[in-house]
């Protein structure tokens, strides 16, 4: 995204209005002392203790224990909350996502299919984009997000001809549900300077019309970036609408630490300023895109401390080594189950060639940056592990916690290898629900699909992991991420790889304390222990008592730093 206009206005507000604006947007403050009693308090400490009550002093946890123990701490002015049997646990930590991307429906057409949205055909998608054009007549680009070619009646991607029906005068962009592919109309291709003579960029593909070099409008991986940057260049009103919508979404589902996992300079600056001004009560972990900000981080021209606020920080540098399995751009060691465009040998491709990957990983590792590397296919994962092993050999770090984002097709030998290298995977386990049937039947076949996001292998080999949703790729629903680890059920009702299931407590750890550990934040969040932030979620019922029904539980309250930031009623 290009957020220059947003940044300029935010800076002007911060400087021009100064204290007045800061007071108007200051972070909420909770009671000096409060206790929560008569509930099920899941502490997520090292012993996974479950107690009855919790005490909070200021923005920190004071104590956890029995109701009698905690009531003994009550003093004049203490606020007493009766949980009445409800469940209290640490606020959920978004281990990998793209905040504020879930607010995209405020500024773009929703093109998703069931079980998320309502699009059933290309006709539906075109109609939704036409409605978006009418709703936003003054926007430069008409855009929508989330179409899924495998769920549409026609079983194909949108193309320039489809989108030309929306407009031939305004550029139109439709983003694939994976986020790794976009379709653009003829006007959009013209503005981007993409025609029959344009070569494929390194790490990307410009799809062509059959028997021709003429682009068909579908842009894969690195070929899509210029289109995305132009389409998502938004003004102040859109920024506020996007962020406000995303905030309510995250807070109403119990998220207390969000992640913006791959940021351009402008988005990084914009969100940092918004956090400084108190506009975003969430704690925010930000990953900088290597190709955008990386060289200046390496040279020292940009200091990560420049993006440090009370609740936000730049914690890692992100590289994207391959694409998406459901987009046929994930890089596999063996061919896709259903041949792509008739090519039985097709295995996808890397977004960064192996030699360049080695060079980049070595440079950032040597400079002391934590790395977060996107790798879906097992061939890509092998390249990533090889590159990191070489970097560790040259510059050993005792506890590097290199985050392998998605690690979807990690083989057992690769999971075992992660332990010795200090690599920690963040699994997209909810893929078993959203794409499990299609991974089995279209992309991977039964054998490989059964071991996607292999949580049990990680436990067996002593590899600490987290679980994420990659929102807005799927909705921000932390309890879905927990449920999917426990049951691995597909949308059609099948169980995909029962041997990879874990128990509820372990699944909860993957969205709380283990997610905090992954970014070196386990000392101040992720569990309910004295001295840690009072980041809390109160649920309507217990995921331990009825695991199968946990997705139906409601978030009654979300609390950050002891202050209530969301209440259901």
């Amino acid at each position: 995204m290009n957020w220059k206009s947003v940044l300029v206005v935010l800076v002007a507000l911060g400087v021009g209005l100064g204290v007045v604006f800061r007071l108007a947007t200051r972070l909420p403050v909770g009671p000096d002392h409060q206790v929560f009693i008569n509930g099920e308090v899941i502490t997520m400490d090292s012993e996974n203790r479950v107690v009855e009550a919790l005490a909070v002093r200021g923005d920190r946890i004071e104590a956890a224990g029995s109701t009698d123990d905690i009531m003994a701490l009550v003093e004049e002015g203490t606020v007493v909350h009766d949980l009445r049997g409800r469940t209290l646990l640490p606020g959920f930590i978004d281990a990998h996502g793209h905040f504020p991307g879930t607010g995209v429906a405020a500024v773009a057409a929703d093109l998703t299919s069931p079980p998320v949205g309502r699009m059933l055909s290309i006709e539906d998608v075109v109609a939704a984009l036409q409605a978006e054009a009418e709703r936003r007549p003054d926007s430069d680009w008409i855009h929508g997000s989330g179409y899924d070619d495998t769920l549409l009646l026609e079983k194909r991607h949108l193309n320039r001809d489809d989108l030309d029906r929306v407009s031939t005068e305004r550029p139109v962009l439709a983003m694939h549900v994976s986020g790794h592919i976009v379709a653009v109309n003829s006007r959009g291709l013209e503005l981007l300077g993409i025609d029959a003579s344009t070569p494929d960029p390194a790490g990307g593909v410009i799809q062509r019309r059959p028997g021709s070099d003429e682009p068909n409008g579908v842009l894969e991986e690195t070929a899509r970036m210029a289109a995305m940057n132009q389409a998502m260049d938004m003004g102040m009103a859109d920024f506020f609408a996007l962020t406000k919508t995303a905030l309510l979404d995250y807070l109403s589902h119990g998220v207390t630490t969000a992640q913006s996992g791959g940021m351009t300079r402008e988005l990084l600056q914009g969100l940092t300023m918004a956090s400084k001004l108190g506009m975003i009560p969430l704690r925010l972990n930000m990953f900088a895109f290597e190709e955008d900000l990386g060289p200046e981080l390496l040279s020292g021209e940009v200091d990560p401390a420049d993006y440090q606020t009370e609740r936000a920080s730049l914690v890692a540098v992100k590289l994207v080594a391959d694409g998406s399995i459901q987009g046929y751009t994930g890089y596999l060691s063996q061919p896709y189950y259903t041949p792509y465009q008739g090519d039985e040998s097709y295995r996808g491709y890397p977004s960064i060639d192996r030699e360049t990957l080695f060079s980049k990983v070595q440079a950032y590792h040597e400079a002391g940056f934590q790395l977060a590397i996107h790798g879906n296919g097992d061939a890509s994962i092998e390249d990533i592990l090889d590159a990191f092993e070489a970097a560790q050999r040259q510059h050993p770090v005792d506890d590097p916690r290199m985050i392998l984002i998605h690690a979807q097709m990690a083989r057992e030998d690769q999971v075992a290898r992660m332990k010795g290298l200090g690599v920690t995977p963040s699994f997209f386990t909810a893929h078993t629900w959203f794409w499990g049937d299609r991974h089995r039947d279209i992309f991977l076949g039964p054998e490989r699909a059964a071991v996607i996001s292999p949580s049990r292998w990680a436990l067996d080999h002593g590899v600490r992991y987290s679980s994420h949703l990659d929102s807005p790729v799927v909705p921000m629903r932390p309890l879905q991420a927990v449920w999917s680890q426990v049951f691995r059920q597909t949308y059609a009702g099948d169980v995909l790889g029962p041997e990879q299931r874990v128990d509820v407590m372990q699944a909860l750890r993957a969205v709380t304390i283990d997610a905090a550990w992954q970014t070196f934040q386990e000392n101040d969040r992720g569990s309910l222990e004295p001295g840690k932030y009072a980041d809390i979620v109160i649920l309507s019922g217990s995921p331990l008592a009825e695991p199968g029904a946990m997705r139906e539980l409601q978030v009654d309250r979300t609390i950050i730093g002891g202050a209530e930031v969301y209440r259901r009623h």
Side-chain angles (χ1 to χ4, degrees):
M1 295 181 186
N2 187 335
W3 296 67
K4 291 180 181 178
S5 59
V6 174
L7 179 63
V8 169
V9 176
L10 286 173
V11 171
L13 285 170
V15 175
L17 299 182
V19 174
V20 173
F21 186 79
R22 181 65 182 87
L23 290 174
T25 59
R26 65 185 175 186
L27 293 170
V29 178
D32 290 339
H33 191 234
Q34 56 187 320
V35 299
F36 301 83
I37 60 172
N38 297 325
E40 176 186 68
V41 177
I42 303 174
T43 65
M44 306 312 309
D45 66 9
S46 60
E47 299 176 358
N48 288 332
R49 287 192 309 145
V50 179
V51 296
E52 297 175 321
L54 186 79
V56 173
R57 190 171 295 277
D59 68 345
R60 303 278 176 160
I61 303 295
E62 181 182 32
S66 69
T67 292
D68 288 343
D69 290 341
I70 298 304
M71 284 301 293
L73 301 175
V74 171
E75 55 198 37
E76 185 178 356
T78 298
V79 177
V80 179
H81 307 277
D82 191 342
L83 294 171
R84 301 182 185 276
R86 291 175 297 175
T87 297
L88 182 153
L89 66 161
F92 297 123
I93 294 175
D94 171 25
H96 180 67
H98 301 276
F99 181 86
T102 62
V104 69
V107 298
D110 181 359
L111 307 182
T112 56
S113 297
V116 177
R118 298 183 296 176
M119 300 293 107
L120 301 178
S121 68
I122 286 176
E123 292 302 314
D124 291 341
V125 172
V126 169
L129 287 165
Q130 289 169 338
E132 181 69 10
E134 294 176 5
R135 183 175 78 94
R136 296 167 59 83
D138 298 326
S139 63
D140 291 335
W141 281 72
I142 303 162
H143 67 282
S145 180
Y147 85 88
D148 189 332
D149 56 304
T150 66
L151 291 178
L152 296 176
L153 178 66
E154 297 82 357
K155 296 292 188 288
R156 66 170 175 82
H157 285 283
L158 299 161
N159 58 41
R160 66 191 293 179
D161 297 324
D162 299 318
L163 299 183
D164 283 349
R165 293 164 53 199
V166 178
S167 178
T168 56
E169 298 178 353
R170 295 168 65 187
V172 181
L173 177 143
M175 185 184 297
H176 189 256
V177 66
S178 67
H180 286 259
I181 298 170
V182 299
V184 179
N185 71 341
S186 297
R187 177 59 177 153
L189 291 171
E190 180 184 350
L191 290 175
L192 294 166
I194 296 175
D195 58 25
S197 66
T198 307
D200 289 346
V205 171
I206 300 169
Q207 290 193 13
R208 316 286 173 166
R209 286 176 166 161
S212 168
D213 289 332
E214 190 68 26
N216 70 4
V218 179
L219 308 174
E220 300 177 6
E221 299 300 332
T222 57
R224 81 198 192 283
M225 294 308 298
M228 289 177 60
N229 288 338
Q230 286 194 30
M232 294 300 290
D233 183 7
M234 63 183 64
M236 194 66 175
D238 283 349
F239 171 73
F240 277 119
L242 181 81
T243 304
K244 180 180 178 181
T245 302
L247 271 174
L248 178 59
D249 184 32
Y250 277 58
L251 296 176
S252 65
H253 289 93
V255 177
T256 54
T257 296
Q259 187 188 116
S260 196
M263 307 175 72
T264 63
R265 174 196 309 276
E266 289 79 20
L267 179 56
L268 188 60
Q269 291 172 330
L271 287 183
T272 300
M273 182 61 70
S275 179
K276 284 181 178 179
L277 295 173
M279 295 163 57
I280 301 175
L282 286 164
R283 303 194 196 281
L284 188 60
N285 289 334
M286 301 181 290
F287 291 2
F289 265 135
E290 184 277 330
E291 62 265 34
D292 190 275
L293 206 59
E296 287 156 296
L297 286 168
L298 282 177
S299 69
E301 184 179 342
V302 171
D303 187 339
D306 295 340
Y307 302 103
Q308 184 77 35
T309 77
E310 183 179 345
R311 292 194 176 178
S313 57
L314 176 59
V315 298
V317 175
K318 181 182 178 181
L319 287 78
V320 179
D322 75 340
S324 161
I325 301 299
Q326 61 267 32
Y328 276 105
T329 59
Y331 182 35
L332 301 174
S333 62
Q334 299 298 319
Y336 278 82
Y337 185 63
T338 301
Y340 179 63
Q341 298 182 347
D343 183 355
E344 295 187 356
S345 66
Y346 179 82
R347 301 186 292 117
Y349 55 88
S351 298
I352 305 174
D353 68 79
R354 183 175 167 91
E355 182 179 350
T356 303
L357 181 67
F358 270 61
S359 175
K360 288 179 181 292
V361 168
Q362 170 126 349
Y364 291 101
H365 185 65
E366 180 180 0
F369 291 100
Q370 185 179 16
L371 282 164
I373 308 180
H374 166 120
N376 260 315
D378 61 329
S380 180
I381 292 167
E382 192 76 6
D383 284 349
I384 293 167
L385 295 179
D386 286 350
F388 193 67
E389 181 175 34
Q392 272 282 72
R393 192 180 304 117
Q394 291 295 319
H395 305 281
V397 174
D398 288 339
D399 186 16
R401 304 186 199 180
M402 192 281 278
I403 304 170
L404 212 167
I405 300 171
H406 305 319
Q408 189 170 180
M409 298 307 304
R411 305 186 306 263
E412 185 170 13
D413 65 292
Q414 293 174 329
V415 174
R417 190 178 171 198
M418 292 178 197
K419 176 66 175 179
L421 291 176
V423 172
T424 170
S426 186
F427 294 128
F428 193 166
T429 318
H431 259 58
T432 52
W433 170 256
F434 290 100
W435 281 283
D437 300 298
R438 285 166 287 151
H439 276 2
R440 178 194 60 218
D441 300 336
I442 301 173
F443 305 113
L444 300 170
E447 184 176 342
R448 286 184 294 180
V451 292
I452 62 171
S453 300
S455 301
R456 174 53 59 182
W457 282 345
L459 291 182
D460 290 346
H461 291 282
V463 176
R464 204 165 179 177
Y465 73 92
S466 69
S467 180
H468 67 265
L469 291 153
D470 204 19
S471 299
V473 173
V474 303
M476 177 46 70
R477 304 290 185 268
L479 289 172
Q480 173 71 61
V482 177
W483 184 90
S484 288
Q485 293 176 70
V486 175
F487 295 100
R488 292 183 66 92
Q489 183 176 310
T490 72
Y491 184 55
D494 299 325
V495 175
L496 196 66
E499 69 280 2
Q500 293 297 339
R501 291 181 293 195
V502 300
D503 63 31
V504 178
M505 193 67 80
Q506 175 58 44
L508 285 169
R509 292 186 70 87
V511 297
T512 55
I513 185 60
D514 290 348
W517 172 88
Q518 207 161 56
T519 50
F520 295 92
Q521 294 173 325
E522 72 274 18
N523 291 328
D524 63 25
R525 69 194 71 178
S527 62
L528 302 176
E529 299 179 83
K532 291 192 176 185
Y533 290 130
D535 294 352
I536 296 165
V537 60
I538 299 174
L539 300 178
S540 60
S542 171
L544 298 179
E546 295 187 64
M550 74 171 76
R551 291 187 301 175
E552 284 70 57
L553 294 178
Q554 300 290 316
V555 170
D556 284 347
R557 296 175 67 187
T558 303
I559 295 165
I560 300 179
E564 182 178 283
V565 291
Y566 170 80
R567 179 186 287 263
R568 184 162 63 98
H569 54 65

